[in-house]
Amino acid sequence: MPRYAYVNGRYLPHAQAAVHIEDRGYQFADGVYEVVPVYQGALVDEGPHLDRLERSLGELRIAMPVARATLELISHELMRRNDLTQGMLYMQVTRGVAPRDHRFPATARPALVMTTRQTKPHGEALVTQGIKVITVPDIRWRRCDIKSTALLPNVLAKQQAAEAGAYEAWQVDGEGYVTEGSSTNAWIVNAEGKVVTRDASHAILNGITRITLLKQIREAGFELEERAFTLEEAKAAREAFLTSSTSFVLPVVAIDETPVGNGHPGILCGKLRAGYLDYMASLEDRPGGMA
Ligand code: PMP
């Protein structure tokens, strides 16, 4: 069965799907994207992901390429065509195709691309042994709340992590506070047992996994602080973990080779991960279903 991609109104075999060389996404990274996880056949938090897409577009003054209901229809149709049960749906919207000029084009129409990727659940070792992170200076622009396709600092940070044998790079701002990972949000459980994660601002991408987990943490009654924490505090923490649409909740056991807590995945992190997986398994937004 061929794998399809959606490109500006057409479902095309993935290998033949292409955009114009003067698409502003290609030339200026003038666009935004979303990654929606798919778990046991269901889209996870589709509504909040589309809310964030609309917000990112609004901040950049790019119009929605199609109505929101149409976006949902295309998502479900692409999942159906690709028989997607586990993995992710990727959507990208750019300001469109126009002769190269920094100024907004007068006539270009926003361009929409969607792809899916089937992935296996990540190896149990990541969960049972935990992962390492390194740290890098946060050299990004000051609107990290916009999910822009301009990801060079994130690409460089993730590559540096990979070359150091680490899963992720936590970015640290000029004052010594951790902002977030290159593609994940950063969390600690501090010495007093409080869960701490950076507050949502222009300094981080407000992860959808982050938002869902915050709700679950509040509902479970765990102590929580949304504030910046220093790298020093993170290294002295009892536990650390990260969240994202593709990693879910993963325990961090070392930061720059300094073991976190006893160097093993934390108990609270384990509970939060289990709770998050239960939540995903309970979702019913399956293509062709009523949701
Ligand atoms: N921060 C950054 C910089 C990211 O790229 C991502 C992943 N898109 C996240 C955090 C996590 O966001 P989400 O939970 O929505 O995947």
Side-chain angles (χ1 to χ4, degrees), residues 147-179:
K147 200 162 168 58
S148 154
T149 56
L151 288 172
L152 261 187
N154 310 58
V155 166
L156 296 176
K158 187 78 94 190
Q159 180 62 21
Q160 201 175 319
E163 286 171 8
Y167 183 89
E168 177 60 300
W170 278 7
Q171 300 168 102
V172 181
D173 70 17
E175 276 84 55
Y177 291 94
V178 174
T179 50

Side-chain angles (χ1 to χ4, degrees), residues 56-68:
S56 295
L57 288 170
E59 291 300 306
L60 299 181
R61 293 194 282 148
I62 299 174
M64 277 281 272
V66 291
R68 184 161 163 145

Side-chain angles (χ1 to χ4, degrees), residues 133-155:
V133 301
I134 58 160
T135 60
V136 297
D138 193 335
I139 58 168
R140 297 173 302 163
W141 72 330
R142 290 189 211 139
R143 291 303 307 272
C144 299
D145 57 308
I146 301 171
K147 200 162 168 58
S148 154
T149 56
L151 288 172
L152 261 187
N154 310 58
V155 166

Side-chain angles (χ1 to χ4, degrees), residues 33 49 52 140 147 154 180-185 205 207-210 243-245:
Y33 72 106
H49 278 282
R52 187 171 66 185
R140 297 173 302 163
K147 200 162 168 58
N154 310 58
E180 60 182 336
S182 68
S183 65
T184 56
N185 289 113
L205 182 80
I208 303 302
T209 322
R210 174 188 181 279
T243 58
S244 82
S245 294

Side-chain angles (χ1 to χ4, degrees), residues 22-53:
E22 285 197 307
D23 187 287
R24 290 176 65 92
Y26 182 54
Q27 292 191 323
F28 296 114
D30 189 1
V32 304
Y33 72 106
E34 277 297 327
V35 173
V36 189
V38 174
Y39 192 76
Q40 296 178 359
L43 281 166
V44 180
D45 288 339
E46 183 185 21
H49 278 282
L50 293 182
D51 289 345
R52 187 171 66 185
L53 181 76

